[in-house]
Amino acid sequence: MSKLRFAINLTKRYNGIKCGQQGLGRQLARRCMSNGPAAAANRDMDNSFALGVFCGRVHTRNLFPYPDALDDDAKDTVKLMIDPFEKFFTEMHDAAQCDIDEVIPESSMEGLRQVGGFGLQAPQQYGGLELKNTQFARLIEIVGANDISIGTLLAAHQSIGYKGITLFGNEKQKQKYLPPLISGEKIGAFCLTEPTSGSDANSIRSKAILSDDGKHYILNGNKIWISNGGLADTMTVFAQVPFKKEGSDQVSQKVTAFIVERAFGGVTNGPPEKKMGIKASNTTEVFFDNVKVPVENVIGNVGEGFKIAMNILNNGRFAMGVGMAGVIRMLTAIAIQHANNRVQFNDKLINYQSIQEKIAQMAISHYAVESVGYSVCNIMDSGVKEFQVEAAISKIFGSESAWKVCDETLQILGGMGFMRAAKVERFMRDLRINRIFEGTNDILRLFIALNGIQYAGNNMKELQKALKEPMSNFGTLWDQSVKRSKRFIGLSNTNALLEATAPQLSDSANKVTKRIEEFGATIEKLLLKHGRNIADKQFLLTRLADAAIDIYTMGAVLSRATKATNEKLPTAEHEQLLAATFVDEAYERVERNLSATVNKPNLDRFSAYSSIAGEISQNEGIASTRPLRF
Amino acid sequence: MALRVLVGCKRVIDYAVKVRVKPDKTGVVTDGVKHSINPFDEIAIEEAVRLKEKKIASEVVAISCGPKQCQETLRTALAMGADRAIHVEIPEPQSNTLEPLGVAKIFSKLAKEEDVNLIIVGKQAIDDDCNQTGQLTAALLDWPQGTFASEITVEGEHMKVIREIDGGLETIKVKMPAVISADLRLNEPRYATLPNIMKAKKKKIDVKTPADLGIDISPRTEILSVEDPPVRQAGSKVEDVSELVGKLKSHGFI
């Protein structure tokens, strides 16, 4: 976890403001150093809309105007790919049957090979299509709308399975391993998760010990829930490599990434797991029993495994956001098709308010998820290196929205929705895993909150460095700063969002700006109150994350609707309505979430949650007495 | 003899799209609507590529006449295996009044320029259903024609063509050079694969204008109005035969 540092001088600043306990003495206790890079040196972070929110600042640069990183040629190319790619799903693959059979047949695998689906983003040099993230995203929409099991196969194979080799491998490794993986002759897998190690990736127990002759690592370990585990020939495996610290006898461990071939011997897998959804996708345990892995197969350097794993996951995370947009679009079509035609009580369903509300929420959800999703991949394609918070936002928001939309689609279809033939239930079952894998949403929420808080904390640090005044002069300088800026952390252009948004959406822009400022103020309050202990306050962190997600999404929809307006698209008015309605609802949610982190009644309730959870834990079940006393 | 093949590829509104008439009745809505290669032209390209794969044809050149977006249609043809493409650029709104005669003149001019000995077109386009271009092209070139082809076989200097006609199948023999128009059952077109789409990016598309070819493409007909077909009236159920007879009488049918 990151730690935050507070400068003494800050206390003076807050003497006039009610927030937590003040007192110079108390604040004199210096907190620990931050682990993150100096924010000021990192332009990308300073341009991040999401991170700016944590400082109460509007950073429009990466989000306004709505990012558009592809040139015309790239757009034309991917446009041509849509039909052939869709044809695979409509004519060469039967998703419903695969769900029943719980396997992807060789005919579909061959179809994917032919269409070129196994090397979509891989380098052209090795036979891949080297699609940019945004091009890839457009194709992933098609996958999401058709078969998430195929999506899992492809993601496990290329987005994480061999991505490590593409991103961090050396020339020899790339030349040896990439071509057959790209052609689909060999299948890849990503082996990180273990029985005792899911979200806590650093705690893995698989071990790789250097052989006496220094030529191999002997790999032993147990991985679970590995997608493509039963199919893969080439796996990216993470294991602990023990080493002795210099000048000490203490043995430490460092996570290291390896390329492991099934052909090395000692690699076996269990039977395919029986799952709630994505049944056709192959998920197994993988066992490594004294596997001899050549030292040349270390990816990157020994000890870089954790960083490599996080980078791989972060690099591919954007895909879920756009994939979910594809699913939601498809589900909305199913829902409205039913609502437009089904008659009950002498009227079509669509004429009833409660159905209208459901349909509207779907459309708003779709616009929001699509806007956020494409903003992330475009930001990545324009060369921005710091996008992990935005990618996490997209993943959480996309997966949770899709689940809700699917649930409502099923509801609109009524009994029919529950039947296999309507195909909605398969999506319901398939979508559930999206909130869990590729970074569990609960963990990603903490990630967003802590990243943002760390950034905010660093900015405070930077301000202090920039001042460099002796204490005595601080007061004067401080007064001047207050007069110049709204937030003490730095200049905030209150009009930045207003100026970047179409006039038809000014109201919405002002709402968002207001919430961003309040967010910054809340972070300050919380940092001063809790200091580094904020890292453990998950009741607060999850609410901060939800607020940040809502604010970023508000920004994305306003940006996109503004672009539609400026380009005079025929759908501009409709998009303005979608955006404004989303902002209206998110505006209220953000307020609730922010005040819940500082208001006493909420904080008391959190204590109640902890208390109740404690009793249930002690009781190993429900702790109240039954109504009948038996 | 190695054939040099010209294939006509028209960019039309995609067959799956629900076509809507413009409120001003001058035509149908095309803005923002999905377009693709005319399905019969896709079959024509497939046949030409197969001839090349059998080493009967040496080069396949795809042509499309119309606005800039026709290049997408040509890229699809190239991804399917055509070697080169020619885009005869005709901007909107002029392209909306392009008629089969104009296209036939363009094809015959290009056929001579490119020294081809086989032209394959789709039997008709799914937007105007004219079914004229193949026939007009053959006439302008004074070449024989094999229309509604469901199977073609090259036999030396001749081509055996099995044609789909109302009465069944007719087999004819044409001497090349010739014009063939493709019918539905001629073949099943391959899917362009993503790698082939990338490879097609390196293939050439030459751009010309009707003026370059010295051709007058002004229309000979004028579209007066485009309207929806009348909405189908609902039927009604009758209880018995006497009610049926009564209704028929009152509507003046008996």
Side-chain angles (χ1 to χ4, degrees):
Chain A
M1 301 289 197
S2 57
K3 315 235 167 121
L4 304 150
R5 195 218 315 183
F6 297 87
I8 310 164
N9 299 345
L10 293 179
T11 325
K12 280 197 169 174
R13 161 75 174 80
Y14 278 101
N15 272 342
I17 302 167
K18 281 184 207 161
C19 72
Q21 286 142 8
Q22 305 307 320
L24 187 61
R26 199 167 184 284
Q27 293 299 326
L28 266 169
R30 287 251 175 128
R31 310 298 181 147
C32 323
M33 297 276 288
S34 160
N35 285 336
N42 196 325
R43 273 280 73 91
D44 275 351
M45 283 179 150
D46 290 341
N47 286 332
S48 160
F49 186 88
L51 288 176
V53 169
F54 282 82
C55 295
R57 279 194 236 151
V58 181
H59 291 168
T60 54
R61 190 148 167 194
N62 280 355
L63 195 52
F64 291 80
Y66 193 75
D68 185 15
L70 294 183
D71 60 22
D72 281 341
D73 182 54
K75 286 180 186 165
D76 284 341
T77 304
V78 73
K79 192 171 172 190
L80 284 174
M81 292 181 172
I82 291 171
D83 266 354
F85 202 61
E86 263 175 358
K87 282 215 175 90
F88 164 75
F89 288 100
T90 51
E91 298 181 24
M92 288 197 250
H93 178 72
D94 185 348
Q97 191 57 45
C98 291
D99 176 62
I100 294 171
D101 296 338
E102 299 191 19
V103 77
I104 295 171
E106 182 55 29
S107 56
S108 292
M109 296 295 281
E110 191 51 39
L112 279 170
R113 280 181 202 117
Q114 278 177 21
V115 87
F118 287 112
L120 296 167
Q121 289 200 278
Q124 282 191 35
Q125 180 185 3
Y126 302 103
L129 297 175
E130 209 164 333
L131 295 180
K132 291 196 185 307
N133 296 313
T134 311
Q135 292 172 303
F136 181 67
R138 183 58 185 86
L139 297 182
I140 289 301
E141 272 201 72
I142 298 171
V143 180
N146 281 286
D147 191 350
I148 301 177
S149 290
I150 293 282
T152 308
L153 163 75
L154 294 178
H157 169 75
Q158 59 193 305
S159 300
I160 53 176
Y162 68 75
K163 189 65 88 71
I165 305 176
T166 319
L167 293 178
F168 299 101
N170 58 40
E171 254 330 290
K172 274 184 73 180
Q173 290 167 337
K174 287 183 187 178
Q175 276 179 25
K176 178 172 183 188
Y177 289 108
L178 288 184
L181 286 165
I182 289 170
S183 69
E185 185 195 322
K186 293 208 151 77
I187 299 296
F190 183 82
C191 301
L192 175 62
T193 306
E194 294 177 9
T196 54
S197 179
S199 292
D200 189 3
N202 240 338
S203 70
I204 57 174
R205 292 185 188 170
S206 295
K207 270 202 171 45
I209 301 181
L210 193 59
S211 62
D212 289 331
D213 62 9
K215 290 195 179 156
H216 293 95
Y217 281 92
I218 310 300
L219 173 64
N220 276 288
N222 213 39
K223 300 290 185 185
I224 56 168
W225 301 333
I226 303 304
S227 296
N228 300 349
L231 312 172
D233 305 288
T234 309
M235 312 180 199
T236 302
V237 184
F238 295 86
Q240 303 277 12
V241 173
F243 69 100
K244 274 208 185 120
K245 280 205 167 105
E246 275 219 14
S248 121
D249 269 335
Q250 197 191 6
V251 176
S252 292
Q253 306 197 107
K254 286 201 271 200
V255 177
T256 306
F258 298 90
I259 305 173
V260 179
E261 293 179 47
R262 196 182 285 268
F264 289 161
V267 181
T268 51
N269 61 268
E273 303 284 355
K274 294 239 169 256
K275 307 188 289 286
M276 168 179 172
I278 54 167
K279 290 188 179 187
S281 156
N282 175 274
T283 316
T284 70
E285 287 187 81
V286 184
F287 309 102
F288 300 98
D289 188 6
N290 289 325
V291 181
K292 285 167 81 168
V293 183
V295 293
E296 299 82 50
N297 279 28
V298 172
I299 302 179
N301 294 316
V302 173
E304 286 186 340
F306 184 76
K307 185 190 90 173
I308 287 174
M310 292 305 111
N311 257 288
I312 293 172
L313 291 170
N314 185 38
N315 194 273
R317 189 158 283 145
F318 73 92
M320 193 182 285
V322 279
M324 293 301 99
V327 181
I328 296 175
R329 181 184 287 267
M330 180 270 306
L331 290 170
T332 308
I334 292 179
I336 194 60
Q337 158 82 309
H338 185 79
N340 270 345
N341 291 300
R342 172 77 172 171
V343 172
Q344 278 293 266
F345 305 112
N346 269 323
D347 211 350
K348 293 194 177 155
L349 292 196
I350 192 58
N351 293 326
Y352 294 110
Q353 288 180 348
S354 75
I355 299 293
Q356 288 165 2
E357 186 166 353
K358 292 181 199 295
I359 297 288
Q361 287 298 354
M362 285 183 199
I364 294 167
S365 264
H366 173 265
Y367 193 71
V369 170
E370 199 179 60
S371 302
V372 169
Y374 275 95
S375 76
V376 177
C377 49
N378 271 295
I379 286 171
M380 290 168 76
D381 283 339
S382 32
V384 171
K385 297 279 185 286
E386 298 288 335
F387 53 80
Q388 55 269 26
V389 173
E390 287 83 350
I393 288 175
S394 176
K395 194 264 182 188
I396 293 172
F397 189 64
S399 55
E400 294 184 3
S401 300
W403 174 255
K404 288 181 202 155
V405 168
C406 194
D407 193 36
E408 287 288 42
T409 304
L410 207 153
Q411 189 71 10
I412 291 177
L413 262 55
M416 198 58 220
F418 201 64
M419 302 302 144
R420 204 182 265 174
K423 99 173 179 180
V424 178
E425 64 83 31
R426 170 168 64 87
F427 279 93
M428 195 90 222
R429 288 184 290 106
D430 285 351
L431 286 173
R432 188 56 186 85
I433 192 66
N434 285 347
R435 290 159 51 193
I436 299 172
F437 72 6
E438 290 221 27
T440 311
N441 288 6
D442 312 85
I443 301 296
L444 288 179
R445 280 187 159 84
L446 302 178
F447 175 79
I448 290 171
L450 290 171
N451 245 273
I453 289 172
Q454 179 176 2
Y455 176 72
N458 277 343
N459 268 275
M460 293 185 198
K461 181 178 76 179
E462 285 311 313
L463 179 72
Q464 289 315 303
K465 271 204 200 136
L467 289 177
K468 276 189 168 65
E469 302 289 318
M471 282 263 252
S472 51
N473 286 347
F474 179 65
T476 329
L477 206 70
W478 162 244
D479 283 325
Q480 290 180 345
S481 315
V482 166
K483 281 178 187 132
R484 268 200 309 271
S485 65
K486 273 209 137 191
R487 293 252 52 81
F488 85 98
I489 293 175
L491 293 170
S492 162
N493 183 355
T494 359
N495 288 329
L497 199 52
L498 192 63
E499 282 160 17
T501 310
Q504 294 89 331
L505 293 161
S506 299
D507 237 8
S508 305
N510 286 328
K511 284 182 169 155
V512 179
T513 304
K514 183 157 186 272
R515 290 300 183 238
I516 292 178
E517 290 179 349
E518 286 163 12
F519 198 106
T522 308
I523 294 291
E524 285 171 25
K525 284 185 196 157
L526 291 173
L527 287 181
L528 282 164
K529 179 174 179 187
H530 300 285
R532 68 175 163 178
N533 293 330
I534 191 83
D536 300 321
K537 310 277 181 209
Q538 291 186 356
F539 289 125
L540 309 181
L541 297 176
T542 48
R543 282 163 180 80
L544 290 174
D546 280 341
I549 293 170
D550 263 331
I551 294 177
Y552 182 80
T553 308
M554 289 199 277
V557 299
L558 285 182
S559 179
R560 185 160 159 217
T562 297
K563 186 166 191 220
T565 308
N566 292 343
E567 290 180 4
K568 298 194 173 44
L569 295 184
T571 54
E573 263 185 51
H574 176 68
E575 296 191 35
Q576 287 163 19
L577 190 56
L578 293 171
T581 313
F582 180 83
V583 170
D584 276 347
E585 294 181 337
Y587 182 67
E588 287 171 17
R589 280 197 298 267
V590 172
E591 206 270 319
R592 273 202 310 273
N593 277 320
L594 289 182
S595 50
T597 62
V598 292
N599 290 343
K600 189 165 184 333
N602 295 95
L603 300 177
D604 287 343
R605 201 183 325 138
F606 298 152
S607 304
Y609 291 158
S610 289
S611 217
I612 294 169
E615 309 233 16
I616 301 300
S617 170
Q618 260 201 327
N619 214 50
E620 291 185 354
I622 295 296
S624 42
T625 312
R626 283 175 184 271
L628 293 179
R629 309 286 187 263
F630 58 84
Chain B
M1 88 177 155
L3 296 176
R4 292 177 48 72
V5 191
L6 210 64
V7 182
C9 311
K10 189 177 181 188
R11 177 177 179 263
V12 297
I13 294 179
D14 187 81
Y15 77 92
V17 168
K18 207 169 167 190
V19 175
R20 286 178 302 141
V21 175
K22 283 201 279 203
D24 62 7
K25 295 195 179 172
T26 56
V28 297
V29 177
T30 52
D31 258 349
V33 169
K34 184 168 183 221
H35 284 67
S36 39
I37 183 172
N38 182 37
F40 295 108
D41 297 343
E42 210 178 346
I43 294 172
I45 284 277
E46 174 65 26
E47 198 61 23
V49 171
R50 286 189 190 186
L51 286 174
K52 207 178 89 143
E53 284 168 350
K54 288 184 209 157
K55 308 249 198 284
I56 299 172
S58 60
E59 198 185 22
V60 175
V61 182
I63 315 182
S64 194
C65 308
K68 196 163 163 298
Q69 297 94 311
C70 287
Q71 294 202 10
E72 278 169 30
T73 314
L74 290 171
R75 290 256 169 247
T76 309
L78 292 169
M80 283 173 72
D83 299 291
R84 266 192 307 127
I86 300 174
H87 173 212
V88 180
E89 185 156 12
I90 303 166
E92 284 175 355
Q94 232 195 339
S95 57
N96 294 335
T97 58
L98 183 64
E99 293 173 344
L101 182 58
V103 177
K105 287 189 209 168
I106 292 172
F107 280 5
S108 30
K109 186 83 202 295
L110 285 172
K112 293 202 197 101
E113 264 187 27
E114 296 286 331
D115 192 27
V116 302
N117 35 33
L118 179 61
I119 300 178
I120 313 182
V121 295
K123 69 170 179 180
Q124 66 200 60
I126 61 171
D127 49 8
D128 55 22
D129 283 329
C130 284
N131 183 2
Q132 298 168 16
T133 307
Q135 294 88 333
L136 291 169
T137 310
L140 288 171
L141 287 168
D142 198 26
W143 287 5
Q145 54 183 265
T147 53
F148 310 108
S150 69
E151 192 184 312
I152 63 173
T153 323
V154 177
E155 294 168 350
E157 294 214 339
H158 291 85
M159 181 176 282
K160 184 178 91 176
V161 183
I162 300 180
R163 307 177 59 230
E164 300 216 4
I165 60 173
D166 290 342
L169 297 174
E170 178 191 59
T171 309
I172 61 172
K173 194 156 88 168
V174 295
K175 186 156 187 279
M176 303 217 271
V179 176
I180 303 294
S181 85
D183 209 322
L184 189 63
R185 280 160 280 272
L186 179 58
N187 61 48
E188 220 180 287
R190 67 196 60 197
Y191 305 128
T193 66
L194 271 50
N196 281 348
I197 290 171
M198 292 298 272
K199 282 189 205 134
K201 284 172 73 162
K202 301 195 182 101
K203 296 184 184 176
K204 254 182 86 170
I205 299 184
D206 288 316
V207 184
K208 300 181 197 256
T209 64
D212 292 340
L213 302 167
I215 290 172
D216 159 33
I217 54 161
S218 52
R220 272 48 171 167
T221 60
E222 184 195 332
I223 294 174
L224 297 177
S225 96
V226 177
E227 292 164 28
D228 277 305
V231 176
R232 201 176 154 200
Q233 297 298 314
S236 58
K237 275 190 169 166
V238 294
E239 285 297 318
D240 54 25
V241 176
S242 44
E243 198 189 336
L244 173 63
V245 172
K247 286 216 169 179
L248 287 171
K249 273 192 178 154
S250 65
H251 279 86
F253 293 120
I254 52 171

